[in-house]
Amino acid sequence: CPLPMSNTYASEPKLFGKWSYDGVTVSDISVADYIAIKGKCAVWLPHTAGRYAAKRFRKAQCPIVERLVNSLMMHGRNAGKKLMAVRIVKHTFDLIHIMTKKNPIQVYVNAVMNAGPREDSTRIGSAGVARRQAVDVSPLRRVNVAIHLMTTGARLASFRSLKTIAECLADEIVYASEDKNNSFAIKKKDETERVAKANR
């Protein structure tokens, strides 16, 4: 006889089947619209195969964890290896949970909020008279730069080192979420803002 149907369907999506999106908050309202963790962006796997580069600002709808995965696929030899990047992020989130005892999605969201520079400097002038001018950074660029700095820091830390990329990325995200200067991203952000302040 057929087995009785048990009502054990998944009611809410959990990242990698472990981490719940419930209670994950974006406290910084300026970047809240660009950190996608609610509704359709709460995914089981950070691999949606969406066409987020087809149109301007569409990447803001890309799940924020998937953006981390995509940013890891850098430096020619890693290009296109998305399954490898997904595996790295999965290990990273396990390590973050072990280190902090918190929901790794929340830790990562806090890191993205902290690691993006709020002020930058641009080159102004022509015909040889070039100078720097301080400018405000848009929220989307803050998110983009934060993710890029964190993955770059992890990549540099793990290169020719005994530590795996997942361990280095976990360290980077935890330090950035706590706003500590051990983080490559926080160091770069502070340096960018210091230079901008000097060029106001």
Side-chain angles (χ1 to χ4, degrees):
C1 71
L3 289 169
M5 285 290 286
S6 60
N7 197 9
T8 54
Y9 294 115
S11 53
E12 51 150 347
K14 290 186 174 180
L15 185 68
F16 301 118
K18 286 183 188 175
W19 316 116
S20 172
Y21 290 90
D22 275 0
V24 177
T25 56
V26 184
S27 52
D28 187 344
I29 57 165
S30 61
V31 293
D33 291 341
Y34 297 99
I35 295 182
I37 46 171
K38 295 279 179 260
K40 278 199 297 190
C41 297
V43 290
W44 289 91
L45 268 183
H47 193 318
T48 60
R51 295 173 52 196
Y52 297 110
K55 206 170 183 189
R56 193 181 178 201
F57 293 121
R58 193 179 289 169
K59 62 181 171 184
Q61 269 107 53
C62 180
I64 193 71
V65 183
E66 185 171 358
R67 298 204 59 195
L68 178 71
V69 169
N70 294 341
S71 186
L72 276 172
M73 296 191 291
M74 294 283 178
H75 287 259
R77 59 183 185 167
N78 300 322
K81 299 181 185 177
K82 192 156 183 175
L83 295 182
M84 182 176 83
V86 169
R87 193 189 68 233
I88 290 168
V89 170
K90 185 177 181 180
H91 291 327
T92 299
F93 277 29
D94 288 338
L95 289 168
I96 290 172
H97 181 66
I98 291 166
M99 289 160 73
T100 63
K101 300 286 183 284
K102 294 177 189 164
N103 184 346
I105 304 176
Q106 182 66 65
V107 175
Y108 169 57
V109 167
N110 293 347
V112 171
M113 286 189 292
N114 288 340
R118 291 156 297 191
E119 193 180 21
D120 203 348
S121 46
T122 183
R123 236 175 118 261
I124 284 196
S126 56
V129 194
R131 65 185 193 86
R132 313 278 295 187
Q133 171 67 44
V135 290
D136 294 335
V137 179
S138 73
L140 181 59
R141 181 165 167 80
R142 274 180 64 189
V143 173
N144 297 349
V145 172
I147 294 170
H148 174 255
L149 287 177
M150 285 192 289
T151 51
T152 303
R155 199 176 290 116
L156 290 172
S158 70
F159 189 62
R160 293 196 176 158
S161 151
L162 287 174
K163 286 177 85 170
T164 65
I165 182 79
E167 289 167 12
C168 293
L169 187 58
D171 284 345
E172 183 69 34
I173 289 172
V174 170
Y175 289 142
S177 71
E178 293 166 358
D179 223 345
K180 285 187 178 167
N181 257 349
N182 311 27
S183 158
F184 174 88
I186 297 291
K187 256 189 278 201
K188 283 283 185 190
K189 170 203 160 186
D190 289 345
E191 184 189 332
T192 304
E193 290 182 350
R194 198 171 57 246
V195 171
K197 192 174 179 183
N199 291 315
R200 276 178 188 164

